[in-house]
Amino acid sequence: MLQGTVASALASITYDNRENQALAAREGALKRVADLMKDREFGIRYKAALAIEALAMNNLDNQREFLSKKLSVHKPLNELMEVRQIDRLLTMLFRPAFRISS
Amino acid sequence: MEIREQAALSLWALGGQIKSQQRAAAEVIGIPQIITMLLSTSEKLQYVALNAIIALTDEDEHYQNKLYNENILTPLFRLLKQFERLSHRVLLVLVRVFGVLCTGTVK
């Protein structure tokens, strides 16, 4: 949960801000954010996606780093786009067969 | 929906301003996903989907034909019919999409 909060904070301070984006990249934030995209919690992945957008906004170096074979964040981002289908399937699987009316 | 929107926006941010990168991002999204995004009610998903279509089809006959064969026109016309409900940026990109599909290029 703390990691998600930090990712959100990182997104806030780096959004379209070249200086902060570069500083974050130098401190290894890109790899850490990319690793958060592998977390099981959708909430954390969502916040990592926020950070990715902020870090990549108008920053070619960060864009290339994120798209590199080392980080490859485009793959987990694409998986995140299919969340709705997964969520709907889980809802169908665990919906009670009948409801007891009060 | 918010999660999908953010994922789409982040993917599109990775595309940046460079055509080849934008095309790579659009290819990652994929045509079926693009069509689903066009049919959604989310302004953000529509915006990203339309930009992805431009990235794929600009000066690329192969993708223009591929999208035509995947029946991309139906959701595009559907959007156009609702033009009054669209945001300005979505409407502008929609017009550009038709421009690219008709002439084959953005320029």
Side-chain angles (χ1 to χ4, degrees):
Chain A
M1 200 154 154
L2 186 60
Q3 288 175 322
T5 308
V6 170
S8 293
L10 189 62
S12 300
I13 61 173
T14 57
Y15 189 85
D16 209 11
N17 183 314
R18 293 300 300 271
E19 207 179 313
N20 288 350
Q21 287 168 344
L23 180 61
R26 276 200 302 274
E27 297 298 324
L30 302 193
K31 172 82 172 60
R32 302 222 172 169
V33 165
D35 287 342
L36 283 182
M37 287 303 296
K38 298 171 194 165
D39 198 286
R40 290 174 70 183
E41 291 260 346
F42 284 129
I44 293 189
R45 281 194 255 168
Y46 168 74
K47 288 174 183 174
L50 275 171
I52 290 169
E53 186 197 0
L55 287 162
M57 183 65 62
N58 294 324
N59 188 313
L60 188 57
D61 294 328
N62 287 356
Q63 289 161 16
R64 287 188 170 153
E65 184 65 21
F66 274 130
L67 288 169
S68 68
K69 281 186 182 168
K70 198 172 112 190
L71 297 182
S72 295
V73 295
H74 49 288
K75 291 174 191 170
L77 278 174
N78 197 30
E79 284 167 13
L80 204 58
M81 286 187 62
E82 291 162 13
V83 154
R84 185 183 179 190
Q85 281 91 310
I86 295 166
D87 190 46
R88 189 181 277 171
L89 181 62
L90 286 173
T91 306
M92 281 169 57
L93 285 173
F94 292 104
R95 189 190 303 157
F98 59 90
R99 293 180 190 278
I100 300 170
S101 56
S102 52
Chain B
M1 179 70 87
E2 264 185 56
I3 294 176
R4 292 183 73 213
E5 285 177 344
Q6 188 52 53
L9 287 171
S10 301
L11 258 172
W12 197 246
L14 292 178
Q17 307 294 324
I18 297 180
K19 264 192 190 178
S20 56
Q21 257 176 236
Q22 287 178 342
R23 177 163 291 175
E27 284 171 349
V28 166
I29 296 173
I31 294 172
Q33 185 85 268
I34 287 172
I35 293 176
T36 307
M37 287 160 73
L38 283 179
L39 293 170
S40 83
T41 53
S42 163
E43 188 265 357
K44 290 173 185 171
L45 291 181
Q46 291 168 354
Y47 180 70
V48 171
L50 289 168
N51 275 301
I53 292 171
I54 293 174
L56 287 175
T57 56
D58 183 29
E59 293 178 350
D60 190 316
E61 206 177 324
H62 163 70
Y63 265 116
Q64 288 167 18
N65 291 332
K66 196 170 179 186
L67 277 164
Y68 176 73
N69 291 333
E70 299 270 355
N71 203 19
I72 195 71
L73 292 179
T74 304
L76 288 175
F77 280 127
R78 188 171 171 268
L79 266 182
L80 193 59
K81 282 181 190 172
Q82 307 166 353
F83 73 94
E84 285 165 347
R85 285 188 243 166
L86 301 179
S87 68
H88 281 146
R89 67 173 184 170
V90 167
L91 187 55
L92 277 172
V93 182
L94 182 60
V95 169
R96 284 181 63 210
V97 165
F98 279 111
V100 173
L101 292 177
C102 292
T103 64
T105 176
V106 169
K107 292 172 193 168

